[in-house]
Amino acid sequence: MGKFVVAGITQVETIVRVDKVPITYTPLTTEINSIYTGIGGDAYNEALALSWLGDDVEFMSIIGRDKNPEELNPPGNEFKISTKYVAQMMEETPNCVILYDKDRKKQIFEDIKDLRDKVYDMSMFPPLAGWADMVVLANANFCRPFAIAAAEHGKKVAVNIRNFSREKEKYNRDFLDAASILYFSDDQLEEDPYDFIRGISKTYGTEIIIMGLGAKGVILFDKAGGFLADYKTVKTNEIVNTVGAGNALFSCFLHYYQETGDSVNAIKNALLFSSYKIGYMGTSKGFMTIDQMEQWRNLIWGIRPDGL
């Protein structure tokens, strides 16, 4: 199994199922099992997903003094993440409210408090950099030094850029320069995704680029393999909530790519992993173990563990 350092945002998430996004005004709506509140955030979700897949994970994040780090491992969680490097440096933990509907449309309200002003103590990072196979980052401001330091240590860097726009390219340059693996979503992309991917790789020399296309699947670029191809989604669970599917897909891809170096095998497994995850309400719920992954692969494609 792989050894990963994951750094990025932890937040309290409230997810609300609505009839349609954008919502129509009504003074009161009462619906059973339509609201979920829990711990989430891109990096938190990815650290937890990698733990479910059997990897060794060290998680580096910033939360508020309103939360105890141990709250990141709620009772009943089958797999837990290390909170040794989770720093209480803010008065309040970032919050997020996500509205979503049956057509996969979502509207997100995010309050990161004063996170942009916080500086993580990087003295803890060098020993972990020596230990890790890969450093996985969100593009939060406090993660910028991680991108630079990981590159200096010669570590493979993977970054979840999330929503990207050209006006934010300058802000993201440190991450784009350092990363050998990038994940983007097409949610706010205003150009042809294939041209965009080719342009990013040409400019920054990126080895692997994944573009999430929602219900359409993903585009995978592999520089060494010399290909740019799209892969369709697979179906396991009935869809409950697609929020967090990208985090699940990215983390599973990293697990299998680190293990095998085969990007096609990794993306197929990642699509399977994320398809199961969207059958659950919370962004940090619905992850599979390696054994469950093998069972689903056999069911869908008839692939046995020995490859026969």
Side-chain angles (χ1 to χ4, degrees), residues 15-151:
I15 302 171
V16 184
R17 185 177 69 244
V18 298
D19 287 336
K20 193 167 184 60
V21 174
I23 61 173
T24 302
Y25 171 74
T26 181
L28 175 66
T29 300
T30 302
E31 188 174 348
I32 302 299
N33 297 325
S34 63
I35 301 175
Y36 171 88
T37 298
I39 301 295
D42 290 352
Y44 173 82
N45 296 338
E46 288 157 6
L48 191 56
L50 287 166
S51 298
W52 271 79
L53 290 167
D55 294 307
D56 293 327
V57 182
E58 292 294 351
F59 180 49
M60 311 185 88
S61 189
I62 296 174
I63 61 173
R65 283 177 279 275
D66 61 333
K67 291 288 178 189
N68 186 303
E70 291 310 309
E71 292 182 61
L72 275 60
N73 289 308
N77 269 21
E78 186 175 345
F79 289 87
K80 300 184 183 301
I81 60 174
S82 169
T83 58
K84 182 167 42 175
Y85 300 103
V86 175
Q88 292 175 288
M89 297 174 59
M90 307 166 66
E91 288 301 316
E92 295 180 80
T93 301
N95 272 263
C96 181
V97 176
I98 304 164
L99 309 181
Y100 77 98
D101 65 19
K102 64 181 185 305
D103 298 319
R104 294 193 174 196
K105 290 179 66 178
K106 58 184 179 286
Q107 192 168 358
I108 301 174
F109 302 84
E110 196 171 59
D111 180 357
I112 64 169
K113 310 301 181 183
D114 59 341
L115 183 64
R116 285 194 179 95
D117 302 325
K118 299 305 176 184
V119 178
Y120 195 91
D121 180 4
M122 292 300 294
S123 67
M124 296 184 283
F125 180 68
L128 292 178
W131 164 84
D133 296 317
M134 186 183 297
V135 177
V136 185
L137 303 175
N139 63 334
N141 197 45
F142 81 88
C143 292
R144 197 177 306 277
F146 285 95
I148 297 168

Side-chain angles (χ1 to χ4, degrees), residues 152-170:
E152 289 173 349
H153 280 81
K155 291 297 176 178
K156 193 177 289 292
V157 177
V159 183
N160 183 346
I161 299 288
R162 292 210 302 173
N163 297 321
F164 182 90
S165 58
R166 285 298 180 185
E167 58 265 27
K168 293 181 180 178
E169 186 169 353
K170 183 178 180 180

Side-chain angles (χ1 to χ4, degrees), residues 156 180-182 193-194 197-198 200-202 205-211 218-231 253 256-258 260-268:
K156 193 177 289 292
S180 54
I181 304 173
L182 288 170
Y194 294 93
I197 290 170
R198 292 186 188 99
I200 289 291
S201 179
K202 183 177 180 180
T206 317
E207 296 173 15
I208 299 285
I209 299 174
I210 304 166
M211 173 71 72
V218 299
I219 299 172
L220 173 66
F221 167 79
D222 185 322
K223 185 177 180 181
F227 66 85
L228 177 64
D230 64 285
Y231 293 85
F253 175 87
Y256 282 101
Y257 186 69
Q258 173 60 34
T260 68
D262 183 339
S263 64
V264 173
N265 174 67
I267 203 65
K268 288 181 177 179

